Amino acid sequence: MPQLDTSTWFINIVSMILTLFIVFQLKISKHSYPTHPEAKTTKMTKHLTPWESKWTKIYSPLSLPQQ
């Protein structure tokens, strides 16, 4: 059975990583980012729902009395 030749694996992996790095750098450099980003002001709105004003109790089906 022939031996697997792994002598070219290192250069293949290094060249692949380098190529991916260059491709991603080119893709990122084409984006235009705003020069002065500003924070948006968000208003907190309070929604009043009936279950917020009172306590509710959740019963487990196993803790209910037997019928």
Side-chain angles (χ1 to χ4, degrees):
M1 191 158 105
Q3 191 74 18
L4 181 62
D5 183 21
T6 60
S7 62
T8 60
W9 285 17
F10 179 74
I11 192 66
N12 283 336
I13 292 171
V14 169
S15 63
M16 177 191 65
I17 291 172
L18 182 65
T19 305
L20 283 174
F21 178 75
I22 292 171
V23 167
F24 278 107
Q25 289 297 318
L26 289 173
K27 288 179 78 65
I28 290 173
S29 67
K30 289 183 181 179
H31 288 288
S32 60
Y33 297 103
T35 55
H36 299 291
E38 298 173 0
K40 290 184 179 179
T41 56
T42 57
K43 294 181 181 177
M44 295 297 290
T45 57
K46 178 69 176 160
H47 298 287
L48 293 176
T49 54
W51 56 83
E52 286 182 354
S53 60
K54 60 184 176 186
W55 285 94
T56 58
K57 189 170 184 181
I58 299 173
Y59 290 98
S60 172
L62 296 175
S63 67
L64 293 174
Q66 294 291 328
Q67 295 183 8

